[in-house]
Amino acid sequence: MPKSRVRKKKVYSSPTGTSSSSADSYEPSPTWVPITAVALIVIGIGWLTLFYLSGMAYPVAAWGYWNLAVGFSCMVAALLVLSKWR
């Protein structure tokens, strides 16, 4: 039985027009990005916890269930801020 030919793998070459220095052009995020994100997460969780533990009387009783929207919005905002973190 004849042996099959061994195929050589092609050597990877980067696409033309892009340089490897473009990856070095990214700067690290400012320190306020993770601090703001953690603060928004803590505020959101604290808002929701206070809302449920107070029997829906605090933080703003007149808002009713809109307090849930405020708490979850803080956490979603934290995710949006974290998407900018490098």
Side-chain angles (χ1 to χ4, degrees):
M1 175 152 244
K3 290 186 177 181
S4 63
R5 288 186 292 175
V6 178
R7 294 183 212 158
K8 291 184 178 180
K9 291 184 179 181
K10 292 183 179 182
V11 177
Y12 175 76
S13 61
S14 64
T16 58
T18 59
S19 63
S20 62
S21 65
S22 65
D24 299 334
S25 66
Y26 292 116
E27 297 177 8
S29 298
T31 56
W32 64 265
V33 172
I35 293 170
T36 304
V38 170
L40 284 170
I41 291 171
V42 169
I43 290 169
I45 291 173
W47 192 285
L48 293 173
T49 304
L50 181 63
F51 178 66
Y52 277 117
L53 291 180
S54 69
M56 302 179 193
Y58 294 106
V60 182
W63 290 357
Y65 285 106
W66 283 103
N67 284 303
L68 295 175
V70 172
F72 284 116
S73 296
C74 286
M75 290 188 283
V76 168
L79 288 175
L80 293 174
V81 169
L82 282 175
S83 70
K84 305 295 181 192
W85 192 22
R86 291 184 216 144

